[in-house]
Amino acid sequence: MPAKIESERSSSLKVTTIIPAAGRGERMKIKKVSKQYLPLGGRPILVHTLLVFEKCPFVEEIILAIGETEIDCCQRDIVKRFGLRKVKRVVVGGERRQDSVYNALKMVREDCHIVLIHDSVRPFITREIIQRTIEETKVHKAVATAVPVTDTIKEGNGLGFVERTLNRDRLWSIQTPQGFEINLIKEACSRAQEENFYGTDEASLVERIGHPVKVIEGSHENIKITTPEDLIIAEAILRERGSGS
Ligand code: C5P
């Protein structure tokens, strides 16, 4: 590792990445295998995602949350096979994404200052976005990556008609990674669990306890592979990038 990067890493605050990967991927319409294990360019999607964080000098450790029955195979066929040395713990995920993150948060190393949370099925995350997320988290304590919305978004009235049209200029399509100061995200998650509140991302848990969340620009390539069509797009992005890693 070049000396400059090494010194930047050692002088920085300790960063842990949590990858919730315990979803069953029902929208992929494939019953046998969860979407994070589907092959993309010959490797499971999850491996692509993990390798970006593994190779990122600003990340100290990775905690992976997966399904209870997948622990042994994941350790053998993913963590060992692909030499993922930063994956320090593989924890059992929960019923919902937020439960999986909560389980992982309990296992974060004691000297951790910043937690990044990243969907297992966003393999096109880049080191540059990770670095910017960390830098902004040092300043703002809570950061969400996002891209501006390009579609017109309307709110329905529940009866198949439009209630109103939202002002697109102020809308963001939220992505991951999201970055948080450790004590803030622990408090936000604990409060949400105690109060039985479930959000679709971790930033919403921080918002509800009154802390501002900074939005920073992500990337349109950082797609969440959710449907069979997303997998076709993902193969195209991978080809365009010209590598299988
Ligand atoms: O369900 P959704 O597409 O929002 O999932 C986003 C991420 O959360 C995926 O990486 C998925 O594996 C993970 N997840 C989880 N535990 C659950 C549900 C989803 O770790 N119970």
Side-chain angles (χ1 to χ4, degrees):
M1 186 181 296
K4 184 166 175 283
I5 294 179
E6 183 59 64
S7 76
E8 276 174 10
R9 185 177 86 157
S10 54
S11 65
S12 66
L13 301 175
K14 297 277 186 290
V15 177
T16 295
T17 297
I18 290 176
I19 308 278
R24 286 178 290 273
E26 275 142 15
R27 283 164 291 178
M28 191 55 88
K29 299 189 178 106
I30 297 170
K31 288 272 178 285
K32 275 192 217 130
V33 55
S34 304
K35 59 187 175 179
Q36 59 273 23
Y37 300 116
L38 289 176
L40 171 64
R43 286 173 173 178
I45 293 169
L46 175 61
V47 170
H48 288 272
T49 307
L50 288 169
L51 277 170
V52 183
F53 289 91
E54 175 74 27
K55 291 178 188 169
C56 178
F58 314 108
V59 171
E60 302 289 327
E61 67 164 357
I62 301 168
I63 302 180
L64 185 58
I66 59 166
E68 193 167 8
T69 56
E70 296 158 5
I71 299 268
D72 289 345
C73 344
C74 184
Q75 287 281 18
R76 187 187 60 232
D77 298 336
I78 302 239
V79 179
K80 277 218 179 85
R81 177 155 174 231
F82 291 93
L84 299 166
R85 284 181 302 168
K86 287 187 188 168
V87 178
K88 301 292 184 206
R89 293 180 204 276
V90 179
V91 303
V92 176
E95 181 66 23
R96 305 191 215 188
R97 173 209 164 85
Q98 189 177 311
D99 302 314
S100 300
V101 169
Y102 190 59
N103 290 352
L105 261 181
K106 290 181 204 152
M107 306 304 285
V108 167
R109 56 191 273 172
E110 291 220 325
D111 60 351
C112 164
H113 291 91
I114 286 173
V115 174
L116 299 182
I117 301 170
H118 185 68
D119 295 328
S120 64
V121 286
R122 288 188 192 270
F124 300 116
I125 182 57
T126 61
R127 184 184 295 188
E128 187 271 324
I129 296 175
I130 295 171
Q131 187 178 1
R132 268 195 297 118
T133 307
I134 294 169
E135 290 308 318
E136 295 286 341
T137 305
K138 286 181 193 167
V139 179
H140 300 284
K141 295 193 176 183
V143 170
T145 53
V147 286
V149 164
T150 51
D151 290 325
T152 295
I153 308 282
K154 295 182 190 289
E155 186 182 332
N157 68 354
L159 301 167
F161 289 89
V162 171
E163 180 76 29
R164 63 193 176 111
T165 302
L166 303 173
N167 178 2
R168 192 168 65 185
D169 295 346
R170 298 183 60 176
L171 295 179
W172 293 94
S173 183
I174 297 294
Q175 305 183 331
T176 66
Q178 298 186 352
F180 306 97
E181 190 265 325
I182 180 71
N183 292 325
L184 179 62
I185 190 63
K186 277 188 170 173
E187 190 196 338
C189 268
S190 302
R191 293 252 303 261
Q193 296 290 119
E194 276 160 29
E195 293 159 20
N196 217 15
F197 172 88
Y198 281 92
T200 51
D201 71 346
E202 285 65 45
S204 61
L205 312 185
V206 170
E207 291 156 33
R208 73 185 283 278
I209 64 165
H211 195 287
V213 175
K214 171 79 176 168
V215 178
I216 64 168
E217 190 102 15
S219 150
H220 285 285
E221 278 197 357
N222 184 23
I223 59 168
K224 182 160 95 168
I225 302 174
T226 306
T227 65
E229 294 76 22
D230 295 333
L231 202 48
I232 296 168
I233 296 167
E235 292 284 2
I237 295 173
L238 197 64
R239 262 198 312 277
E240 177 71 20
R241 287 188 175 187
S243 116
S245 67

